[in-house]
Amino acid sequence: MGKNILNEQLSALIKNEPDNLANMANTSAFLMQFIENINWAGFYRYEKENDELVLGPFQGKIACVHIKNGQGVCGTAFKKQKTQRINNVHKFHGHIACDAESMSEIVIPLGEFGVLDIDSPIENRFSTQDQLMIEELANTFIKTLTKY
């Protein structure tokens, strides 16, 4: 399925829903349904009081609940506010192994809200084109956010 069609479908799914939690849940399910060869898709919300990311809605196996700002792939993406596309998470210094089956990961920062995290059991799963598509989907999600 083309990236523009996916973006249009996600937008239609979440654009008129004001509830952030519902949109995180549906976005996670949408990603799991339409992105091939992934084993986890979901959100970590930033909690300023503890300077950490806290698990939000996701699809996949159980996950780490708390990630300190700047730690692991998710914490690094949030701290740098820069997408992290990791070909082999086991070679990433400070990787937090929530699921040993995950081999590659892409994490998109969502400003002060937190991050969108997607894992794959396949090494080198995410290409530059995948990154652009997922960043576009993340931007569609960000547009639906109500005050957080």
Side-chain angles (χ1 to χ4, degrees):
M1 203 173 288
K3 83 174 192 178
N4 289 337
I5 292 171
L6 284 179
N7 200 48
E8 288 172 16
Q9 288 180 329
L10 179 61
S11 180
L13 178 65
I14 65 176
K15 72 178 177 181
N16 293 319
E17 176 53 58
D19 188 272
N20 291 339
L21 187 64
N23 284 336
M24 285 187 287
N26 266 337
T27 298
S28 298
F30 179 87
L31 295 170
M32 282 297 284
Q33 183 174 350
F34 291 109
I35 298 178
E36 294 180 355
N37 300 314
I38 63 172
N39 60 342
W40 202 94
F43 294 88
Y44 281 92
R45 300 169 295 104
Y46 180 64
E47 289 192 354
K48 189 174 184 177
E49 307 79 46
N50 297 318
D51 193 29
E52 67 180 3
L53 295 165
V54 177
L55 182 65
F58 70 93
Q59 297 280 311
K61 292 183 178 181
I62 59 174
C64 302
V65 177
H66 300 272
I67 298 174
K68 285 290 181 192
N69 187 6
Q71 292 184 349
V73 180
C74 290
T76 299
F78 183 78
K79 186 169 190 126
K80 293 183 175 182
Q81 286 297 301
K82 183 175 186 219
T83 296
Q84 300 294 301
R85 183 167 43 98
I86 309 301
N87 291 327
N88 184 333
V89 294
H90 303 291
K91 293 180 180 177
F92 183 87
H93 180 69
H95 170 63
I96 302 167
C98 300
D99 178 1
E101 292 179 15
S102 291
M103 290 296 295
S104 58
E105 182 172 11
I106 188 166
V107 181
I108 313 297
L110 304 171
E112 289 297 310
F113 182 76
V115 299
L116 169 61
D117 180 18
I118 303 175
D119 295 358
S120 172
I122 299 169
E123 192 171 348
N124 297 312
R125 164 59 187 89
F126 302 104
S127 67
T128 302
Q129 289 206 291
D130 291 327
Q131 178 177 336
L132 294 173
M133 176 197 64
I134 295 166
E135 287 174 337
E136 185 176 342
L137 292 170
N139 284 333
T140 296
F141 169 78
I142 290 169
K143 291 175 188 172
T144 70
L145 287 174
T146 54
K147 190 167 179 111
Y148 51 88

